[in-house]
Amino acid sequence: MVTVPPLRVLPLPNEPDLAEAVDAEVDDGSWAADAPCDRTALAALYSELAPAVLRFLRDLLGDDALAADALQEAFVRAFRRIETVPRGTRLAGWVFGIARNVSLELRRARGRTRRVLVEEDARLACRVADVRARSPEAQLLDREAVVVVTRALAQLPEDRRAALLLRLDHGLSYDEIARAMGWSLAKVKVEIFRAREVLRATLDAYRGGVP
Amino acid sequence: MSRERWLDEALEASDRALFVRRARALRSPSVPELGAILAAADSRPRRNPGIPARKAVLVALSLVAAAAVLCVVAASALTTHERGARAILADEGDASVPLGAAWTSYEPAVCEPGAEETGSDEACVAVPASLLVASSDGIPRACVEPLEPVRHADDFALACKREPEMSSP
């Protein structure tokens, strides 16, 4: 009987560091809080967690300034409530749940009913980091990822988009996503499955359209 | 690990790689200083550690909603009772009466004993007191002729029975 080893990432040419990056994103033990949940524990995670939460909020809200406000509000709430978190709770999932609630409140407050995450490719290009240190091929692939993911996210309703981001971008488990979103485990799996279908369809369409 | 699960994990890893590339490509956002966040958290007034105001409002709203539901149910029950009082059926009578002939409804209802008819659009129909059968639910019922009230020997309850015909020798 042939046993298949677990595959963490698909190997990509000339990108030996990508597998490490994915593993670091998913299995980073520093986000698992077996230690008591207190301000010190959360403060120790802040520098690592805050950029990820900000990216999550920017993906949900589609507005940099609004996302920055939401980030501050989310962490203020988190620090005020940290003593209520049961010991052993993974703080990352808990903070992402707060961030998602804050984003919903901000959207309601601003009366935004339409999808806000529609960005032009040109604007995306301006936001791409300075990657001169990377190879031209890597830059092209990164740029392609920015365009494809953003297009796919723009097609998704807010709930499904949040679930997909928490799973693929921030590496939360299905259980953590269920708690953060207030959903059943089955609903989380269904929503993420459908979101990934949209992502793959967008990727296929993008590759088909590239000459 | 099953083949399906392995395949699913491989696909998910491929999808996740896209997000990793994207995160790496986008500019690393600048976040507020931790000190500013902590200061903002400390400067906010703390709520009463008892029942949060939001929960209290929810409880109050739930109580009001429950009271409203009870009112609606009570009003509905009263209406149903009034409607039921208007559909008065005579007792089935004895088995010798063909089914259907004995079941007759009065519309409008049978009047309470002693009540008078009030005109063409009367609220109730006057039935001879000799045909009235007192029922356990307080709604006056009447036998439909040719049935007549007969008191049972065991419990003295009135029921409608056909008057036994006189047989001629």
Side-chain angles (χ1 to χ4, degrees):
Chain A
M1 181 177 174
V2 178
T3 56
V4 181
L7 183 65
R8 298 311 305 260
V9 294
L10 292 180
L12 295 172
N14 302 325
E15 288 295 320
D17 57 330
L18 187 59
E20 295 170 12
V22 171
D23 282 343
E25 191 85 9
V26 176
D27 293 334
D28 189 346
S30 62
W31 283 8
D34 281 336
C37 297
D38 55 18
R39 280 193 163 202
T40 311
L42 186 56
L45 291 180
Y46 179 77
S47 61
E48 188 181 356
L49 196 53
V53 174
L54 180 56
R55 192 170 71 241
F56 175 64
L57 288 165
R58 203 166 58 187
D59 285 335
L60 290 184
L61 294 164
D63 184 321
D64 288 353
L66 201 58
D69 291 345
L71 175 78
Q72 172 143 347
E73 177 62 24
F75 270 97
V76 166
R77 290 186 190 182
F79 275 109
R80 285 168 56 81
R81 297 179 194 164
I82 186 67
E83 283 83 8
T84 66
V85 179
R87 187 187 180 96
T89 301
R90 197 165 175 261
L91 287 180
W94 179 69
V95 172
F96 275 110
I98 294 176
R100 200 248 170 177
N101 288 337
V102 170
S103 81
L104 286 178
E105 289 173 18
L106 282 177
R107 284 169 68 94
R108 283 195 207 107
R110 293 211 168 188
R112 293 185 171 203
T113 54
R114 63 188 174 86
R115 293 174 189 168
V116 294
L117 196 108
V118 180
E119 293 184 274
E120 298 299 327
D121 291 351
R123 190 178 163 206
L124 282 174
C126 296
R127 284 175 50 174
V128 170
D130 182 6
V131 288
R132 278 173 294 184
R134 298 169 56 73
S135 69
E137 185 187 5
Q139 291 180 39
L140 188 65
L141 290 173
D142 290 353
R143 200 182 178 87
E144 179 188 71
V146 171
V147 172
V148 168
V149 170
T150 306
R151 282 184 186 172
L153 293 178
Q155 297 175 51
L156 297 173
E158 195 273 347
D159 280 358
R160 194 169 292 172
R161 189 192 320 159
L164 183 76
L165 287 166
L166 290 176
R167 178 67 183 168
L168 295 186
D169 198 11
H170 304 290
L172 267 61
S173 68
Y174 286 116
D175 283 329
E176 288 172 322
I177 297 171
R179 279 195 293 273
M181 304 289 290
W183 291 349
S184 68
L185 196 58
K187 181 176 167 90
V188 170
K189 290 180 178 176
V190 168
E191 293 291 329
I192 290 176
F193 177 78
R194 290 179 179 159
R196 283 175 54 200
E197 282 184 329
V198 172
L199 178 67
R200 279 195 289 275
T202 308
L203 183 60
D204 290 344
Y206 178 80
R207 285 179 175 156
V210 173
Chain B
M1 181 185 291
S2 69
R3 179 179 173 77
E4 288 77 17
R5 177 144 185 210
W6 177 83
L7 195 61
D8 186 60
E9 286 196 3
L11 282 173
E12 183 169 318
S14 171
D15 292 344
R16 186 174 286 137
L18 267 179
F19 281 85
V20 171
R21 286 185 174 283
R22 171 177 172 266
R24 193 168 50 194
L26 292 175
R27 256 188 258 135
S28 182
S30 61
V31 297
E33 292 292 324
L34 177 61
I37 299 281
L38 289 173
D42 290 335
S43 65
R44 281 199 193 170
R46 295 217 172 251
R47 282 189 188 151
N48 188 349
I51 300 176
R54 196 171 174 182
K55 279 189 180 174
V57 169
L58 282 178
V59 168
L61 285 177
S62 303
L63 287 175
V64 169
V69 168
L70 277 178
C71 287
V72 170
V73 169
S76 171
L78 281 175
T79 308
T80 306
H81 186 267
E82 283 177 4
R83 277 193 200 140
R86 296 183 68 77
I88 305 299
L89 295 178
D91 196 85
E92 186 178 3
D94 61 9
S96 63
V97 178
L99 194 61
W103 285 98
T104 304
S105 63
Y106 284 94
E107 186 65 33
V110 175
C111 295
E112 293 283 346
E116 297 288 337
E117 289 188 55
T118 54
S120 57
D121 54 347
E122 66 274 9
C124 58
V125 173
V127 174
S130 60
L131 294 178
L132 284 177
V133 179
S135 62
S136 59
D137 56 5
I139 302 171
R141 298 173 187 277
C143 296
V144 178
E145 292 181 292
L147 304 181
E148 289 184 354
V150 174
R151 192 176 293 280
H152 283 291
D154 49 356
D155 58 356
F156 301 104
L158 283 170
C160 294
K161 294 285 183 185
R162 179 188 288 275
E163 190 70 9
E165 292 181 3
M166 300 295 291
S167 58
S168 57

